[in-house]
Amino acid sequence: MEDNNEIRYAPGLTAKAILGELQGQGKEYMEMMSRFSSAMLEIETKFKVLNIEFSSKFDRNPIETIKTRLKRPASIYEKMRRIGVPLTVANIERELSDVAGVRVICSFVDDIYKLADMLAVQDDLYVLRTKDYIKHPKESGYRSLHMIVEVPIFLSNEKRYVRVEVQLRTIAMDFWASLEHKLRYKKDIPEKTACEIANALRECADTACRTDLEMNEIRKRIEASGFTPGIEA
Ligand code: 0O2
């Protein structure tokens, strides 16, 4: 069925033009983005609450930072084109699970799983999908725990469930992912060099992982000796 709101995929469309096209769908687009924004805020708040509860239970904060982001129009456009679905507001909301993203940077690897479990048991939220790139790192060396959750948001006259992508990772995993993401844009290098660089990056990810595990063990040893890391005598 033809959708009059459909935006045509055209080569070389600039980010500004894509934003213009999406905003051309006016109220619908803005309303969708405000729903994603509200859902993101709900999840961010849930993690802030968990951080407070965790710190009173275990005498330390498991969360270093929480970052939120709404997917940029150009990335939305690119992903919809990649999956071959017509670009309409309704399709974006139906097909994409990562328009709203919450990234939780944790102190220790253990904290990632504790927080994920604490979130998953909340009865107003559904975990639709979990991908454990910590136990099963990506080919690139990327590590994080990904969850797609659906959270209710209460609008003036309705309750809507909205999907949010949650990425939980340690400081070391975040450090690696941020730098690797920057380096990935340096294209046009010979295949052999690209392969060597990929291997070097994977090696860095493995080193960061070993450090993470060692730090986790050190924390456990300190706790076992009766001290609480982060709490001064
Ligand atoms: P952005 O700007 O973070 O939104 P797909 O999204 O189609 O690629 P899937 O299965 O939905 O596939 O997602 P996947 O691979 O589970 O996770 C995608 C997100 O994880 C990416 O989002 C990145 O944030 C992060 N990610 C995955 N692999 C890597 C990697 O090798 N290096 C780094 N630095 N990050 C990675 P987007 O959409 O690419 O970008």
Side-chain angles (χ1 to χ4, degrees):
M1 198 174 62
E2 194 175 323
D3 186 334
N4 292 332
N5 281 332
E6 185 179 325
I7 299 165
R8 283 174 203 287
Y9 293 110
L13 210 56
T14 62
K16 198 172 164 207
I18 295 163
L19 178 62
E21 290 279 3
L22 283 168
Q23 284 176 338
Q25 298 199 18
K27 215 163 147 267
E28 253 190 276
Y29 176 73
M30 300 314 275
E31 281 177 3
M32 174 185 72
M33 290 318 262
S34 67
R35 283 194 290 278
F36 280 123
S37 191
S38 308
M40 210 165 66
L41 193 65
E42 288 282 344
I43 298 295
E44 185 185 13
T45 306
K46 281 177 182 292
F47 277 110
K48 285 185 173 167
V49 171
L50 287 175
N51 200 31
I52 294 170
E53 202 221 331
F54 194 114
S55 59
S56 70
K57 251 188 184 164
F58 302 106
D59 278 339
R60 63 179 186 86
N61 291 323
I63 299 178
E64 292 285 330
T65 337
I66 304 178
K67 297 175 191 167
T68 58
R69 72 104 182 84
L70 281 177
K71 208 171 180 68
R72 286 175 298 111
S75 302
I76 293 179
Y77 174 90
E78 203 36 57
K79 192 156 188 180
M80 293 293 281
R81 191 184 60 77
R82 185 151 46 90
I83 60 179
V85 177
L87 188 63
T88 65
V89 166
N91 283 348
I92 293 170
E93 204 157 20
R94 191 170 43 243
E95 300 292 332
L96 301 190
S97 301
D98 64 343
V99 176
V102 177
R103 188 169 287 159
V104 185
I105 318 295
C106 301
S107 314
F108 298 99
V109 182
D110 280 358
D111 296 339
I112 292 177
Y113 292 103
K114 277 196 195 121
L115 284 167
D117 289 345
M118 286 160 100
L119 183 75
V121 294
Q122 300 195 1
D123 63 7
D124 61 343
L125 162 151
Y126 298 103
V127 179
L128 302 182
R129 210 164 53 237
T130 301
K131 285 190 197 166
D132 192 340
Y133 295 127
I134 300 173
K135 290 201 172 87
H136 309 284
K138 283 196 155 190
E139 182 65 21
S140 59
Y142 176 79
R143 287 169 172 83
S144 282
L145 182 70
H146 288 197
M147 298 166 90
I148 303 295
V149 299
E150 200 169 49
V151 69
I153 56 161
F154 295 87
L155 303 167
S156 56
N157 55 357
E158 60 171 338
K159 173 182 169 186
R160 288 277 284 257
Y161 277 88
V162 180
R163 274 170 291 159
V164 178
E165 184 187 67
V166 179
Q167 297 183 346
L168 294 125
R169 50 173 80 151
T170 61
I171 306 165
M173 292 171 195
D174 189 54
F175 154 77
W176 181 91
S178 305
L179 295 189
E180 190 263 358
H181 190 257
K182 277 184 191 160
L183 295 170
R184 236 192 304 161
Y185 292 102
K186 308 276 178 274
K187 296 260 162 66
D188 300 332
I189 41 178
E191 201 183 318
K192 185 169 170 283
T193 317
C195 191
E196 285 165 5
I197 290 172
N199 287 339
L201 282 167
R202 219 175 6 252
E203 188 52 47
C204 286
D206 293 346
T207 306
C209 172
R210 279 193 296 276
T211 307
D212 255 342
L213 295 177
E214 279 171 31
M215 295 301 265
N216 208 49
E217 287 309 309
I218 292 169
R219 195 208 74 234
K220 283 190 196 161
R221 278 169 60 189
I222 294 173
E223 281 171 356
S225 68
F227 289 98
T228 308
I231 301 292
E232 284 178 28

Short mmCIF file of all heavy atoms in Angstrom, two decimals, residues 7-8 10-24 29 71-78 87:
data_model
loop_
_atom_site.label_atom_id
_atom_site.label_comp_id
_atom_site.label_asym_id
_atom_site.label_seq_id
_atom_site.Cartn_x
_atom_site.Cartn_y
_atom_site.Cartn_z
N ILE A 7 9.36 8.79 2.58
CA ILE A 7 10.47 9.62 2.07
C ILE A 7 11.31 8.75 1.16
O ILE A 7 11.66 7.63 1.51
CB ILE A 7 11.33 10.14 3.25
CG1 ILE A 7 10.45 11.01 4.17
CG2 ILE A 7 12.52 10.92 2.76
CD1 ILE A 7 11.09 11.27 5.51
N ARG A 8 11.63 9.24 -0.02
CA ARG A 8 12.39 8.43 -0.98
C ARG A 8 13.87 8.37 -0.58
O ARG A 8 14.44 9.37 -0.17
CB ARG A 8 12.29 9.05 -2.38
CG ARG A 8 11.00 8.77 -3.04
CD ARG A 8 10.89 9.54 -4.35
NE ARG A 8 9.48 9.70 -4.69
CZ ARG A 8 8.71 8.74 -5.13
NH1 ARG A 8 9.20 7.54 -5.30
NH2 ARG A 8 7.43 8.94 -5.41
N ALA A 10 17.47 8.51 -1.49
CA ALA A 10 18.18 9.08 -2.63
C ALA A 10 19.66 9.14 -2.29
O ALA A 10 20.02 9.51 -1.18
CB ALA A 10 17.65 10.48 -2.91
N PRO A 11 20.52 8.74 -3.25
CA PRO A 11 21.96 8.80 -2.94
C PRO A 11 22.40 10.23 -2.70
O PRO A 11 21.90 11.16 -3.34
CB PRO A 11 22.60 8.21 -4.21
CG PRO A 11 21.55 8.20 -5.25
CD PRO A 11 20.22 8.28 -4.60
N GLY A 12 23.30 10.39 -1.75
CA GLY A 12 23.88 11.71 -1.51
C GLY A 12 23.00 12.69 -0.77
O GLY A 12 23.30 13.88 -0.71
N LEU A 13 21.91 12.19 -0.18
CA LEU A 13 21.05 13.09 0.60
C LEU A 13 21.82 13.56 1.84
O LEU A 13 22.39 12.73 2.55
CB LEU A 13 19.79 12.31 1.01
CG LEU A 13 18.48 13.07 1.18
CD1 LEU A 13 18.13 13.83 -0.09
CD2 LEU A 13 17.36 12.12 1.55
N THR A 14 21.86 14.85 2.10
CA THR A 14 22.64 15.33 3.25
C THR A 14 21.84 15.14 4.54
O THR A 14 20.62 15.00 4.51
CB THR A 14 22.96 16.84 3.11
OG1 THR A 14 21.72 17.53 3.10
CG2 THR A 14 23.75 17.14 1.86
N ALA A 15 22.60 15.14 5.66
CA ALA A 15 21.95 14.96 6.97
C ALA A 15 20.88 16.04 7.17
O ALA A 15 19.81 15.78 7.69
CB ALA A 15 23.01 15.04 8.06
N LYS A 16 21.20 17.25 6.70
CA LYS A 16 20.26 18.37 6.89
C LYS A 16 18.97 18.12 6.10
O LYS A 16 17.86 18.35 6.58
CB LYS A 16 20.95 19.65 6.40
CG LYS A 16 20.29 20.90 6.91
CD LYS A 16 21.11 22.11 6.57
CE LYS A 16 20.27 23.36 6.74
NZ LYS A 16 20.70 24.45 5.91
N ALA A 17 19.15 17.58 4.88
CA ALA A 17 17.99 17.31 4.04
C ALA A 17 17.12 16.20 4.66
O ALA A 17 15.90 16.28 4.64
CB ALA A 17 18.43 16.90 2.63
N ILE A 18 17.80 15.17 5.25
CA ILE A 18 17.05 14.06 5.87
C ILE A 18 16.23 14.60 7.04
O ILE A 18 15.05 14.27 7.20
CB ILE A 18 18.01 12.95 6.34
CG1 ILE A 18 18.71 12.30 5.13
CG2 ILE A 18 17.28 11.90 7.14
CD1 ILE A 18 19.93 11.49 5.48
N LEU A 19 16.90 15.43 7.85
CA LEU A 19 16.20 16.01 9.00
C LEU A 19 14.99 16.81 8.51
O LEU A 19 13.88 16.70 9.05
CB LEU A 19 17.15 16.90 9.80
CG LEU A 19 16.54 17.60 11.01
CD1 LEU A 19 16.05 16.58 12.04
CD2 LEU A 19 17.56 18.52 11.70
N GLY A 20 15.21 17.58 7.45
CA GLY A 20 14.12 18.38 6.87
C GLY A 20 12.97 17.50 6.42
O GLY A 20 11.80 17.77 6.71
N GLU A 21 13.30 16.39 5.74
CA GLU A 21 12.27 15.46 5.24
C GLU A 21 11.48 14.87 6.40
O GLU A 21 10.26 14.80 6.36
CB GLU A 21 12.93 14.32 4.45
CG GLU A 21 13.53 14.73 3.13
CD GLU A 21 12.48 14.83 2.02
OE1 GLU A 21 11.29 14.63 2.31
OE2 GLU A 21 12.88 15.11 0.88
N LEU A 22 12.22 14.44 7.45
CA LEU A 22 11.54 13.82 8.59
C LEU A 22 10.67 14.83 9.31
O LEU A 22 9.53 14.56 9.68
CB LEU A 22 12.55 13.19 9.55
CG LEU A 22 13.14 11.85 9.09
CD1 LEU A 22 14.34 11.46 9.94
CD2 LEU A 22 12.10 10.74 9.14
N GLN A 23 11.23 16.02 9.49
CA GLN A 23 10.45 17.05 10.17
C GLN A 23 9.27 17.49 9.31
O GLN A 23 8.29 18.00 9.81
CB GLN A 23 11.34 18.23 10.56
CG GLN A 23 12.18 17.89 11.78
CD GLN A 23 13.15 18.98 12.17
OE1 GLN A 23 13.51 19.81 11.35
NE2 GLN A 23 13.60 18.98 13.40
N GLY A 24 9.41 17.22 7.98
CA GLY A 24 8.30 17.50 7.07
C GLY A 24 7.08 16.66 7.43
O GLY A 24 5.96 17.00 7.09
N TYR A 29 6.33 13.16 13.55
CA TYR A 29 7.75 12.89 13.82
C TYR A 29 8.14 13.45 15.19
O TYR A 29 8.78 12.77 16.00
CB TYR A 29 8.63 13.49 12.72
CG TYR A 29 10.11 13.35 12.98
CD1 TYR A 29 10.74 12.12 12.86
CD2 TYR A 29 10.88 14.45 13.37
CE1 TYR A 29 12.10 11.98 13.11
CE2 TYR A 29 12.23 14.32 13.63
CZ TYR A 29 12.84 13.08 13.51
OH TYR A 29 14.18 12.95 13.77
N LYS A 71 18.72 8.64 18.43
CA LYS A 71 19.39 8.36 17.16
C LYS A 71 19.21 9.55 16.21
O LYS A 71 18.10 10.06 16.07
CB LYS A 71 18.79 7.09 16.54
CG LYS A 71 19.74 6.32 15.66
CD LYS A 71 19.13 4.97 15.29
CE LYS A 71 20.03 4.15 14.42
NZ LYS A 71 21.24 3.67 15.09
N ARG A 72 20.29 9.94 15.57
CA ARG A 72 20.23 11.09 14.66
C ARG A 72 19.45 10.72 13.40
O ARG A 72 19.48 9.56 12.96
CB ARG A 72 21.65 11.53 14.28
CG ARG A 72 22.39 12.27 15.40
CD ARG A 72 23.82 12.58 15.03
NE ARG A 72 24.60 11.37 14.79
CZ ARG A 72 25.06 10.99 13.61
NH1 ARG A 72 24.85 11.72 12.53
NH2 ARG A 72 25.75 9.88 13.48
N PRO A 73 18.75 11.72 12.79
CA PRO A 73 17.96 11.45 11.59
C PRO A 73 18.77 10.74 10.50
O PRO A 73 18.27 9.81 9.87
CB PRO A 73 17.52 12.84 11.13
CG PRO A 73 17.51 13.65 12.36
CD PRO A 73 18.60 13.12 13.23
N ALA A 74 20.04 11.13 10.32
CA ALA A 74 20.85 10.50 9.26
C ALA A 74 21.08 9.02 9.57
O ALA A 74 21.08 8.19 8.66
CB ALA A 74 22.18 11.22 9.12
N SER A 75 21.25 8.67 10.88
CA SER A 75 21.45 7.25 11.25
C SER A 75 20.14 6.48 11.09
O SER A 75 20.16 5.31 10.70
CB SER A 75 21.92 7.12 12.70
OG SER A 75 23.10 7.81 12.89
N ILE A 76 19.04 7.13 11.43
CA ILE A 76 17.72 6.49 11.25
C ILE A 76 17.52 6.19 9.77
O ILE A 76 17.17 5.07 9.37
CB ILE A 76 16.57 7.41 11.76
CG1 ILE A 76 16.66 7.58 13.28
CG2 ILE A 76 15.21 6.86 11.35
CD1 ILE A 76 15.61 8.50 13.89
N TYR A 77 17.78 7.16 8.96
CA TYR A 77 17.64 7.04 7.51
C TYR A 77 18.49 5.88 6.99
O TYR A 77 18.02 5.02 6.25
CB TYR A 77 18.07 8.37 6.89
CG TYR A 77 18.13 8.39 5.38
CD1 TYR A 77 17.01 8.75 4.63
CD2 TYR A 77 19.31 8.09 4.70
CE1 TYR A 77 17.07 8.79 3.24
CE2 TYR A 77 19.37 8.13 3.32
CZ TYR A 77 18.26 8.48 2.59
OH TYR A 77 18.32 8.51 1.23
N GLU A 78 19.76 5.84 7.42
CA GLU A 78 20.70 4.84 6.95
C GLU A 78 20.27 3.43 7.34
O GLU A 78 20.29 2.50 6.53
CB GLU A 78 22.08 5.16 7.56
CG GLU A 78 23.27 4.62 6.84
CD GLU A 78 23.12 4.61 5.32
OE1 GLU A 78 22.88 5.68 4.74
OE2 GLU A 78 23.24 3.50 4.73
N LEU A 87 10.76 4.66 4.53
CA LEU A 87 11.01 5.59 5.64
C LEU A 87 9.76 6.41 5.97
O LEU A 87 9.50 7.44 5.35
CB LEU A 87 12.18 6.52 5.27
CG LEU A 87 12.72 7.42 6.36
CD1 LEU A 87 13.30 6.62 7.51
CD2 LEU A 87 13.79 8.35 5.81
#
